Amino acid sequence: MQLSFYDLEDKDSIDNELLEKSCIKRKPRLVSLFSGCGGMDLGFKKAGYDIVYANDFDADAQKVYEKNIGDIDKRSILDVPVDEIPDCDILNAGFPCQPFSNAGNRKGVKDSRGNLYKECLRVIKEKQPKVIVFENVRGLLSIKDEKGNLLIDTIVKNLNEIGEGYNVNYKLINASDYGVPQNRIRVIVVAFRKDLEETFVFPPTKNKVGLSIGNIIDIPKEIPNQIDWEFSPQALSLIKLIPEGGSWKSIPYELLPDRLKRIRDNMKKYHAPNMYRRFARNEIAGTITASAQPENCGIIHPLEDRRFNVREIARIQTFPDDFAFFTDEKKSVQNMYKVIGNAVPPLLAEVIAKAIKKQLKNKFY
């Protein structure tokens, strides 16, 4: 059995020869902020990291995290003193993305949530972890801070000013390039403390064989959480007219509601939106969103006139089938779409986590 330094009460008694042979190594200690229901943390846990602290303010996410991963601090990060957060080797954070999202109002840092990344900086300044990982939507690259500078540039500058500074690398990636059966475009920021004398190199992309929807939604009946959030009657009347692989553009003009006729009449003005997308079984799924609305994501089942159910979207997000969600009442079902849509795909997190360990090798220990 492999032991951790933190599993041993009398560390002084460890045989020096064993230490020299590196027979006993501790896992890298991870602090997780804005943890959500645990997608990022699950990926890092699978990659061999020890989660020593997690925090999220959302009650629905907290329940799922506790059920599947472990303890989570339920306070707002604004109310958490830094000295109550353990020391760590690595800090990850998926600070709220809504202010930066194309689906949101894009108020950016003028929205109070847009400044919550500064809470990450507060913890980083005190703990100075070896590694920092941020995940966010693509809007992070275009939004500006209070002074008119690109926020991503400000974040890089802030990290360079903490302690000895950090070597920062960031990239706009598609999760499907790393084995996730979903075209999900996100910004990943990885920063290595400068004394490590390394800059993170993103792993090579993978082929997309086997990532189509048809390979995901054939789920045995005994797998739990196969319950869906019903469409409104108005939405359902449109969805019944959309074939597999189609969208609202497949609906005859005369059957469209007036608001969609106005868009169809001036596609240039409305940038030809691809609403009510029903992806085909041979396609890769679109982005799973927190709102799960057919007007802004491909949430429609390819063959049945319903949303993908909770387990189906969990699979598209690469949560394992034994990862439990709460769907015992109507409100709970809707909230599970929210927490799953907000999550980092665990498989994407695992790929990044393994790449970090491979590059740093023994510099964690």
Side-chain angles (χ1 to χ4, degrees):
M1 181 179 69
Q2 186 179 33
L3 298 176
S4 163
F5 283 136
Y6 299 93
D7 294 330
L8 301 172
E9 293 182 358
D10 185 5
K11 300 180 182 63
D12 292 334
S13 67
I14 300 174
D15 189 282
N16 287 333
E17 184 178 352
L18 288 177
L19 286 174
E20 290 173 0
K21 292 181 179 179
S22 298
C23 290
I24 302 177
K25 292 182 179 179
R26 66 170 175 83
K27 296 179 179 180
R29 291 164 56 88
L30 170 67
V31 161
S32 169
L33 306 180
F34 306 102
S35 309
C37 70
M40 177 93 83
D41 293 6
L42 179 62
F44 273 82
K45 184 176 180 180
K46 285 180 172 291
Y49 292 70
D50 183 17
I51 302 167
V52 297
Y53 176 85
N55 172 273
D56 200 278
F57 191 55
D58 183 271
D60 299 304
Q62 293 165 358
K63 292 177 183 177
V64 176
Y65 194 101
E66 286 182 319
K67 176 72 174 178
N68 295 279
I69 299 178
D71 294 336
I72 186 167
D73 188 335
K74 299 177 182 179
R75 294 174 291 178
S76 165
I77 190 61
L78 298 169
D79 299 327
V80 180
V82 176
D83 60 7
E84 293 185 15
I85 298 176
D87 292 336
C88 59
D89 300 297
I90 179 168
L91 178 144
N92 69 35
F95 51 85
C97 63
Q98 288 87 348
F100 313 120
S101 172
N102 290 329
N105 56 26
R106 290 184 59 82
K107 291 181 180 179
V109 291
K110 294 180 181 179
D111 185 316
S112 61
R113 294 169 297 173
N115 271 316
L116 284 173
Y117 84 91
K118 293 182 179 178
E119 293 303 306
C120 301
L121 298 178
R122 176 173 68 94
V123 178
I124 293 167
K125 184 176 181 180
E126 179 68 24
K127 301 301 176 181
Q128 301 208 14
K130 294 182 173 74
V131 181
I132 300 158
V133 179
F134 293 154
E135 183 268 356
N136 219 296
V137 294
R138 70 164 77 200
L140 181 66
L141 300 181
S142 58
I143 204 74
K144 294 184 178 181
D145 67 11
E146 301 96 327
K147 297 180 179 179
N149 302 312
L150 285 174
L151 182 58
I152 186 65
D153 292 341
T154 300
I155 291 174
V156 172
K157 181 175 181 290
N158 292 155
L159 292 176
N160 273 312
E161 293 173 345
I162 293 177
E164 297 182 12
Y166 286 83
N167 293 323
V168 184
N169 193 11
Y170 62 86
K171 186 176 182 180
L172 187 67
I173 62 99
N174 187 339
S176 66
D177 285 331
Y178 294 100
V180 177
Q182 175 188 176
N183 284 316
R184 187 182 188 89
I185 310 298
R186 289 295 186 267
V187 179
I188 302 293
V189 180
V190 182
F192 287 171
R193 208 172 61 199
K194 285 189 174 180
D195 63 307
L196 298 176
E197 300 180 338
E198 298 274 359
T199 299
F200 181 68
V201 177
F202 280 86
T205 58
K206 304 178 180 180
N207 69 56
K208 301 185 181 185
V209 176
L211 298 187
S212 61
I213 289 172
N215 291 327
I216 300 163
I217 60 174
D218 184 16
I219 305 176
K221 292 182 179 180
E222 63 270 17
I223 301 298
N225 302 141
Q226 296 191 62
I227 184 170
D228 63 281
W229 175 22
E230 295 181 357
F231 284 121
S232 69
Q234 295 84 357
L236 187 58
S237 67
L238 295 176
I239 287 164
K240 289 181 177 180
L241 301 172
I242 300 171
E244 181 178 4
S247 72
W248 74 290
K249 298 173 188 176
S250 308
I251 302 173
Y253 182 86
E254 64 273 14
L255 298 179
L256 291 172
D258 289 343
R259 62 187 177 85
L260 293 184
K261 285 181 180 178
R262 287 193 293 270
I263 297 174
R264 182 76 67 84
D265 290 340
N266 197 343
M267 296 286 276
K268 185 176 180 180
K269 175 182 177 181
Y270 293 100
H271 307 291
N274 203 13
M275 302 178 294
Y276 287 93
R277 185 74 161 88
R278 190 198 286 265
F279 285 95
R281 284 165 290 174
N282 63 354
E283 293 182 280
I284 295 176
T287 304
I288 298 299
T289 69
S291 68
Q293 295 298 334
E295 291 200 1
N296 60 24
C297 72
I299 197 70
I300 307 170
H301 190 279
L303 300 178
E304 301 175 23
D305 295 330
R306 61 170 176 83
R307 281 182 175 89
F308 285 119
N309 64 41
V310 169
R311 182 54 59 192
E312 288 164 344
I313 62 169
R315 278 192 168 193
I316 292 170
Q317 280 278 64
T318 67
F319 283 97
D321 285 346
D322 60 358
F323 197 94
F325 296 96
F326 298 84
T327 56
D328 55 347
E329 58 184 74
K330 186 174 182 179
K331 182 179 179 181
S332 176
V333 174
Q334 183 176 342
N335 289 342
M336 291 306 100
Y337 282 82
K338 175 191 69 176
V339 301
I340 297 170
N342 278 334
V344 177
L347 180 57
L348 174 60
E350 185 178 356
V351 169
I352 298 298
K354 287 180 176 178
I356 291 169
K357 286 183 74 175
K358 182 178 180 180
Q359 188 169 345
L360 292 184
K361 297 180 182 176
N362 292 326
K363 291 184 179 181
F364 267 134
Y365 306 116

